Amino acid sequence: MSRDKLIAMTRNLVAHGAADTMEYADEVVRVPASAYTDEALFELEKRNIFRRLPLMVAPSCELPNPGDYKAMDICGVPLLLTRQRDGSVGAFLNMCTHRGNPVASGSGNASRFTCGYHGWTFKNDGDLVGVASAKDFGAVDKAALCLKRFPVYESAGLIWATLDPDSKLSIADYLCGYDELLKAFEFDGWTLFAQRTLAGPNWKTAYDGYLDFYHLPVLHANTFGSDFYNRANYFAFGPHQRLSTPSKFAIKVSGEDDQQMDLEALADEELPQEVLVQGVWTIFPHISIASFYGGGQRGAMISQLFPGDKVGESYTTQFYVMENRPETEADVKSAHEQFDFLEVVVRDEDYATGKRQHQALQSGLMKEVLFGRNERGGQVFHQWVERLTNASDAELLDIFAAEQREAAE
Ligand code: FES
Ligand SMILES: [Fe+2]
């Protein structure tokens, strides 16, 4: 079923490539410049988007073994992710139920966490197992004082959590079947080769760049090259979008010689997996996934973007995941070179431009920015941000129940 969908997308790209066409949006769309600069709107987005919708918080391979954990701060919410004894993931409010001190920081492996303030101890499934000097403290109901749980969902080698403990939105509904397609990357069982975090501009300014091939041959002329194709077709699954170049050719990366494949000449069952997932896969509101080949094998860069403290700031963690850990020194070196190259592209080209753009927009002297008919991804993204920022909790459930029904048809 999902392979059928992937093949249909590939055939769409091949047909458009062969005809030298692309799919256009209906019209050029205007977005108010204040969507990027308004501080009150930025706070509302943090609350109604990032603190209310499911977020892809970690690739599964970041927490491969029971006991693995990481603590994060997302828009002011302290989050603790753990790989529990039964292999499932727990997502908790990282606050001791005594007086709120975070029980864990950074990442590591632990079966229990002892709070550094007065010494209460929690298991990595959230249970409170020890109250320090319990007799002196007085009677409390330990069962009622376990760490507060967030909704969590693991699928396609990725982990989602919703930073609202009372959320009624099903994470599977929210994904609109998209995670079934993401399984084609086969991230389950992959390995996390490296990660780093970069500072960027306003979160939407930064995210626009991931939804845009239009800029590739211009902004990235010195890195990717100026002959890079600047067209993309967009495939939407609820608010989540995949974009890919309309082309009848694909490069077969076999590790040695790159060879060009004519996809029109291949039967559906001959289409390689790497062709079916090519392009960029974004997960609303903040993830972008792109495949790479480096260090002698398949890899992908997963970029995870969060708003910063101020409207003009964001930060992005780049996870470089690989099918297998590269073994030879040469492969390790080449994988690092690939990852370093991608850092330079994003930091010095995309985000440096985004910061200049943001600063200019803050002059307030330009009222609107434009998204062309060839930039449907940005149009759709901004429409979803606005719609979901303004939706009530009840409307949110209705929106995704309807999307899920549509996806199931
Ligand atoms: S705040 Fe954690 S033990 Fe007191
Ligand atoms: Fe870019």
Side-chain angles (χ1 to χ4, degrees):
M1 187 58 194
S2 46
R3 188 171 162 95
D4 290 350
K5 284 189 188 162
L6 293 164
I7 288 170
M9 287 189 269
T10 303
R11 291 296 173 208
N12 162 301
L13 295 163
V14 170
H16 276 280
D20 194 25
T21 53
M22 69 180 292
E23 289 180 345
Y24 294 117
D26 293 337
E27 56 191 4
V28 176
V29 162
R30 292 161 191 275
V31 170
S34 60
Y36 297 97
T37 56
D38 187 289
E39 282 168 32
L41 178 64
F42 175 67
E43 293 304 323
L44 197 62
E45 288 169 349
K46 286 203 275 190
R47 197 164 71 229
N48 286 353
I49 302 278
F50 284 87
R51 292 178 61 158
R52 194 169 65 146
L53 296 178
L55 304 174
M56 201 294 283
V57 285
S60 301
C61 58
E62 194 180 5
L63 305 170
N65 302 312
D68 288 346
Y69 71 87
K70 86 162 164 173
M72 305 172 76
D73 181 283
I74 302 175
C75 296
V77 178
L79 169 68
L80 172 61
L81 288 177
T82 66
R83 178 72 65 185
Q84 301 170 133
R85 206 160 55 169
D86 65 0
S88 65
V89 175
F92 306 98
L93 179 62
N94 185 13
M95 289 178 76
C96 175
T97 50
H98 176 217
R99 286 231 286 283
N101 185 49
V103 297
S105 61
S107 60
N109 186 284
S111 58
R112 44 186 62 197
F113 301 97
T114 298
C115 176
Y117 195 173
H118 312 88
W120 285 26
T121 299
F122 300 84
K123 282 206 306 198
N124 69 357
D125 64 3
D127 281 357
L128 171 61
V129 287
V131 170
S133 305
K135 272 200 203 123
D136 296 341
F137 189 81
V140 287
D141 177 3
K142 279 205 277 195
L145 290 170
C146 51
L147 296 177
K148 199 180 260 300
R149 275 179 176 278
F150 293 123
V152 65
Y153 178 74
E154 184 169 29
S155 178
L158 301 168
I159 299 165
W160 283 263
T162 308
L163 301 183
D164 170 6
D166 302 320
S167 173
K168 298 198 173 52
L169 176 61
S170 138
I171 300 180
D173 277 3
Y174 172 75
L175 292 174
C176 308
Y178 195 57
D179 53 321
E180 286 303 314
L181 300 176
L182 290 168
K183 284 180 183 165
F185 278 98
E186 303 172 325
F187 287 148
D188 251 335
W190 279 30
T191 175
L192 178 58
F193 176 70
Q195 71 185 86
R196 65 163 74 89
T197 299
L198 308 175
N202 169 269
W203 75 277
K204 290 187 290 190
T205 309
Y207 206 60
D208 283 345
Y210 292 101
L211 285 159
D212 174 351
F213 283 3
Y214 188 29
H215 76 284
L216 296 182
V218 182
L219 182 58
H220 302 308
N222 295 329
T223 44
F224 290 154
S226 55
D227 53 357
F228 223 85
Y229 212 51
N230 75 350
R231 284 174 159 177
N233 281 359
Y234 295 89
F235 306 95
F237 304 85
H240 318 294
Q241 301 188 74
R242 176 206 180 183
L243 54 155
S244 196
T245 305
S247 170
K248 76 193 203 91
F249 298 110
I251 304 294
K252 168 101 187 129
V253 279
S254 52
E256 284 148 32
D257 297 322
D258 293 355
Q259 34 172 148
Q260 182 150 279
M261 286 180 287
D262 180 353
L263 302 178
E264 273 187 319
L266 292 185
D268 286 351
E269 52 286 1
E270 294 171 323
L271 290 170
Q273 205 70 2
E274 69 197 44
V275 168
L276 296 178
V277 300
Q278 65 190 4
V280 173
W281 294 70
T282 68
I283 309 173
F284 191 87
H286 68 143
I287 302 292
S288 155
I289 303 174
S291 316
F292 290 98
Y293 194 85
Q297 62 197 296
R298 286 200 293 160
M301 174 126 105
I302 303 175
S303 303
Q304 179 193 51
L305 181 65
F306 291 111
D309 289 337
K310 299 205 185 99
V311 65
E313 297 171 356
S314 65
Y315 56 97
T316 301
T317 299
Q318 299 180 323
F319 298 95
Y320 193 18
V321 296
M322 301 183 81
E323 191 169 10
N324 297 292
R325 193 159 290 284
E327 278 171 12
T328 67
E329 220 173 281
D331 281 348
V332 171
K333 185 163 169 280
S334 112
H336 276 298
E337 281 167 2
Q338 166 86 286
F339 194 44
D340 291 347
F341 169 73
L342 295 170
E343 177 185 23
V344 169
V345 171
V346 174
R347 186 193 59 208
D348 298 350
E349 296 180 347
D350 292 303
Y351 288 0
T353 301
K355 286 177 187 174
R356 285 194 294 272
Q357 184 191 358
H358 186 80
Q359 206 179 356
L361 287 173
Q362 272 184 319
S363 68
L365 293 173
M366 197 167 113
K367 296 300 173 211
E368 294 171 332
V369 300
L370 303 178
F371 286 85
R373 295 187 63 199
N374 59 344
E375 298 182 284
R376 194 169 69 200
Q379 298 187 2
V380 168
F381 169 65
H382 285 274
Q383 282 154 5
W384 272 105
V385 171
E386 196 187 338
R387 184 175 180 204
L388 297 178
T389 301
N390 295 319
S392 68
D393 288 352
E395 283 165 349
L396 202 62
L397 298 186
D398 292 344
I399 288 170
F400 287 103
E403 290 291 335
Q404 176 69 340
R405 274 196 304 277
E406 216 174 280
E409 274 164 16

